[in-house]
Amino acid sequence: MSDTILETDGLTREFAGFVAVDNVSLRVRTGTIHALIGPNGAGKTTCFNLLTSFLAPTRGSIRFKGRDITGMKPAMVARLGLVRSFQISAVFPHLTALENVRLALQRARGASFDFWRSESALKVFDDRAHQLLFDVGLSGYTATPVADLSYGLKRALEIATTLALDPEMMLLDEPTAGMAHGDVDRIVALIRRIRQGRTILMVEHNLSVVEGLCDTITVLTRGKVLAEGSYETVSANQEVIAAYLGTVDA
């Protein structure tokens, strides 16, 4: 049996003649943390949107656990176990951290968001919600309105709402973007904790985060795969160095 959980073949996306993702063939191994990196304009976000079905490819295919998911609706992809962090709008600023996770759990179990239901009827989700908040380091913030949380803690809460769907594979889009050093360390530690039993694909600009977390790195530039391998391999690649210095891609 193949150890590949997610793969693309010839994945391409064009916009009015501009090729944003160009013939990308990607293989993500089960149980690993895999990073997509590259300079601005390299096609990382477009590739991520293709993988999560927010965009349809012009050409090429996407397979998850051996199943062709090309063109599927994002909700169907999520139900298969491929979930994009920060995708679910379950983070409401005027609800508490506990209430946000409880709503995500309610949706994960196939129910609609029954805001009309009594508080007591929703308490069936509390034990799991408390566990998820503990897992992401938010046990002390269960009754705190999200609007009062720091940026880093909000990102941790967003990961908790994603974990509520019990995904087999998580796609994290810039999980440490805009964070202070302390918050970056907190999120890195969180990703290390939640990787057990899961596969993670992440787009990340912070190369120290990539170095410390990722098993495999794919470097994109101008929509194409420039290099792939361990951090040591890609960081020593002269084409990669040139791309980040701006001589290959702006």
Side-chain angles (χ1 to χ4, degrees):
M1 182 178 294
S2 172
D3 68 347
T4 299
I5 187 170
L6 180 71
E7 59 184 318
T8 70
D9 285 301
L11 195 63
T12 301
R13 174 67 193 205
E14 299 177 0
F15 295 96
F18 170 71
V19 182
V21 173
D22 189 355
N23 196 36
V24 169
S25 293
L26 183 69
R27 302 288 183 274
V28 180
R29 290 180 292 114
T30 303
T32 63
I33 300 181
H34 192 126
L36 284 179
I37 69 171
N40 290 334
K44 303 182 300 298
T45 297
T46 302
C47 189
F48 222 62
N49 287 335
L50 291 168
L51 294 174
T52 51
S53 289
F54 281 89
L55 285 174
T58 305
R59 293 183 297 280
S61 64
I62 306 165
R63 300 183 70 83
F64 178 60
K65 295 192 294 185
R67 179 173 179 174
D68 191 337
I69 63 169
T70 313
M72 275 190 183
K73 298 295 185 183
M76 177 61 74
V77 171
R79 282 194 287 270
L80 292 176
L82 177 62
V83 178
R84 181 176 184 172
S85 185
F86 321 134
Q87 170 184 327
I88 305 163
S89 296
V91 179
F92 299 99
H94 300 298
L95 296 181
T96 67
L98 178 65
E99 289 167 337
N100 270 276
V101 177
R102 193 167 61 186
L103 283 173
L105 285 166
Q106 182 185 349
R107 186 66 188 94
R109 297 190 184 187
S112 62
F113 290 120
D114 294 330
F115 294 102
W116 53 267
R117 296 182 69 189
S118 67
E119 179 73 12
S120 60
L122 295 175
K123 284 187 179 296
V124 66
F125 301 107
D126 278 2
D127 288 347
R128 180 58 179 151
H130 279 289
Q131 181 60 52
L132 286 168
L133 289 169
F134 174 81
D135 290 344
V136 301
L138 292 177
S139 289
Y141 299 91
T142 57
T144 304
V146 172
D148 295 337
L149 295 177
S150 70
Y151 180 69
L153 293 179
K154 287 176 184 175
R155 298 301 286 266
L157 178 60
E158 289 171 330
I159 290 178
T161 63
T162 302
L163 289 172
L165 292 182
D166 196 23
E168 190 169 345
M169 182 171 181
M170 294 180 67
L171 293 95
L172 306 181
D173 194 356
E174 299 281 4
T176 68
M179 289 187 183
H181 182 73
D183 282 336
V184 169
D185 291 344
R186 184 180 296 110
I187 294 298
V188 167
L190 169 57
I191 293 171
R192 286 198 179 102
R193 290 200 303 275
I194 66 174
R195 73 171 298 179
Q196 298 303 316
R198 295 185 179 88
T199 304
I200 296 174
L201 177 66
M202 58 192 295
V203 171
E204 181 57 59
H205 272 103
N206 188 326
L207 294 185
S208 65
V209 169
V210 171
E211 180 182 13
L213 277 178
C214 298
D215 304 296
T216 305
I217 296 98
T218 299
V219 185
L220 296 180
T221 184
R222 295 182 178 176
K224 296 182 178 181
V225 174
L226 178 64
E228 186 171 275
S230 66
Y231 182 84
E232 291 74 17
T233 299
V234 300
S235 63
N237 185 301
Q238 291 303 309
E239 290 183 294
V240 174
I241 294 169
Y244 272 94
L245 290 175
T247 56
V248 171
D249 196 353

